[in-house]
Amino acid sequence: MRPGKMAPAGGAGAVRGLWVPLAVLALARAALALTEQYPALSLLQQELHRQRQGPAGGCASAGEWAEPYSAECDSSFLHFHESDCDIGGSSSCESVLSLNTEKILSQAKLLAEQKRFPFATDNDNTNEELAIAYVLIGNGLYDEAIRHFSTMLQEEPELVSAIYGRGIAYGKKGLHDMKNAELALFELSRVISLEPDHPEVFEQRAEILSPLGRISEALSDLTKAIQLQPSARLYRHRGTLYFISEDYATAHEDFQHSLELNKNQPIAMLYKGLTFFHRGLLKEAIESFKEALKQKADFIDAYKSLGQAYRELGNFDAATESFQKALLLNQNHVQTLQLKGMMLYHHGSLDEALKNFKRCLQLEPYNEVCQYMKGLSHVAMGQFYEGIKAQTKVMLNDPLPGQKASPEYLKVKYLREYSRYLHAHLDTPLTEYNIDTDLPGNFKDHWAKNLPFLIENYEEQPGLQPHIKDVLFQNFETYKPDVQELICVADHLGSMMQYETPGFLPNKRIHRAMGLATLEVMQAVQRTWANSKVRMNGKTRLMQWRDMFDIAVKWRRIADPDQPVLWLDQMPARSLSRGFNNHINLIRGQVINMRYLEYFEKILHFIKDRILVYHGANNPKGLLEVREALEKVHKVEDLLPIMKFNSKTRDGFTVNTKVPSLKDQGKEYDGFTITITGDKVGNILFSVETQTTEERTQLYHAEIDALYKDLTAKGKILILSADLGEVDAVCNLILSLVYYFYNLMPLSRGSSVIAYSVIMGALMASGKEVSGKIPKGKLVDFEAMTAPGSEAFSKIARSWMNLKSISPSYKNLPSVSETFPTLRTMIEVLNTDSSYCLKKTIVVV
């Protein structure tokens, strides 16, 4: 990474979410249930609450992700429901005439005597009339309650309790009808004008405003309520709204205040953990989730959140244990089944993942995520008929007018088309076709950019052909001993590529695929250096550098068909002329991408240097002030005030890195672009991206072509010589070639692991084996992108690779390309269980 130009930023651009593992959108529904103002308003309500709890007591378990996060289990008339009739499990509404009149009157009398309802008066007769209406609300008879309150208000227009009760009844009728919401807000606003010092009314109005999307007004009401009478509940409720608004830092402060006032709040402790989680502070989140479990040992959602946090840390065993504990408490907990299934899929345990998705769909047949993941799992395992059946079910779930399509709905048609293509080519030799040239250009462009499937004149892939059967399970023991050895060696090599960084879950399927890619690259490069030709894309010729990478690309593609691993220079010309961006958010608002945390300081120093250069050229008079301000900058967020020093950078700026050429000394290529923008409240967008244009691609290709030519020439000399100097030169050429590949970022997905498998395979062809693991916190692609040049990258990489002479046993391994010549055989080997490998010593390593 070398300094490039710095320029004002035109705007933040497209901001993509880093991860949405805890379903924040579902939390919006929690705003409907943020209430506890009047615990046990009536004996009837107490009884209903007891029935919901069940004989064992405690909170009623909720099937939805968001519900347990809303509030503790206090009963309240102010708890909103969409249905008017679901009372104590009853499925039908009862007419007021069918109720026991004496029972209603006796309940109302007791309620009135105890004044256990809002804004009770000093008049006993009035209180009894008010109590009757509140009992009607408790029975779900909202219209009758409204009529009763209205009758009282005709006689006494400013009877506050009746106005308040009528507002409650309108709200309980259902906020899906905007008229009810408007009437509820009108009544509550009247109460506030008459009685401005009652925090519960502000809180109640906030609860109606929030599900209507009027979050800022709801926050204002809750702030007023806190000013009037601070409480643990109010802080928790306001924190929840800040959380929904993605203001996690402020939400954290509110949950902390709430816990200081009442430390025994598992819900607040859980939310506190979620504010850490969404800011990428996973270890702090885990501690909060554990604390919530100390307070409530059977807290399913705390176990679920703990599992998700461990998953993000890459700790598969701990995540599995937490998910399992949640399912022991409730084996039908849909969200836990869904999250556990997704984790298992991304761990490469497809069989186990499928069991979770199937169970999820038994409980919730229209769950789009489980349906999509079920179809994806089947396709990845070569079970195309079941896979496409599941995909079609997702496709039939069209969003309603005005409703935003789910990510699964957006992706599913691409997956179905790709699945059909793969099925049609299951038994075609891999050397005879090319996915990048076969798939239509606009299809690839839209798929890689995750755009809606709106492609003009698109001709669908043919449907499944009955004569092409699905992939059958291949038992590990049915492979010949030398192939078994090949598989075990591949598993080991693949594990050497694992990043020890938060956000990277070990995936044994990817490990095997890229281990086999490494061995196939080694064998292909050895044949090339021995002047043998290769069969690629239907032609027999000498191998080029792209062919070497294509070996790894084909294995990465088939390991996870959900991700479009495509060459960007094979996209339509129009797409290339506009530029294809690989975009990574490092900080978005308050969300920190923990994967890249190791590189923040390095990038920050680079930015500070460029700011000084920029102000030296454009603001020389203010340079000293800028320099002094930069000395106080210790994190990226601290840069926001410095943007104000120059009008051109007030809204943000971009910094371009440069990559020095080896081929043409003194020449530099565009590297990646760093963008920093900020808003008025201090939120920051800190991102990096590489822009793949035709011109930039050609420059990098020329560099890689020259390096590959040198590599091939020196490789041919190497196989005839034992000169250690030649070996060292070949190693440096391999690392230099991949340095430019990383900076080019020529693939839509998977560039990092693909390039590293090529490094390992080509080094093995030269007689050197990587025996060291990638250090904790290091990402090979970012090491290349932030290195000042290819020589520096080579030095860094070699420092951890711990290169040693390759074992002669590798020569005895069978040919990967001949052993697995088709997609069917590739899928079979990725599916096979090789736990046997763990029980034996791999001979060649």
Side-chain angles (χ1 to χ4, degrees), residues 607-621:
I607 293 171
K608 288 164 74 172
D609 287 343
R610 299 316 303 151
I611 288 175
L612 287 174
V613 172
Y614 178 81
H615 279 275
N618 297 279
N619 181 30
K621 292 182 180 179

Side-chain angles (χ1 to χ4, degrees), residues 620-636:
K621 292 182 180 179
L623 182 59
L624 180 60
E625 185 183 4
V626 171
R627 189 186 300 277
E628 290 174 351
L630 283 173
E631 289 175 0
K632 300 174 184 177
V633 170
H634 302 293
K635 56 184 186 294
V636 176

Side-chain angles (χ1 to χ4, degrees), residues 91 152 185 216 267 367 401 528 562 663 673 756 785 840:
S91 60
M152 297 184 72
L185 289 172
S216 60
I267 294 285
N367 186 305
T528 300
D562 190 40
K663 182 172 67 74
T673 299
Y756 203 64
M785 292 165 65
K840 65 188 286 291

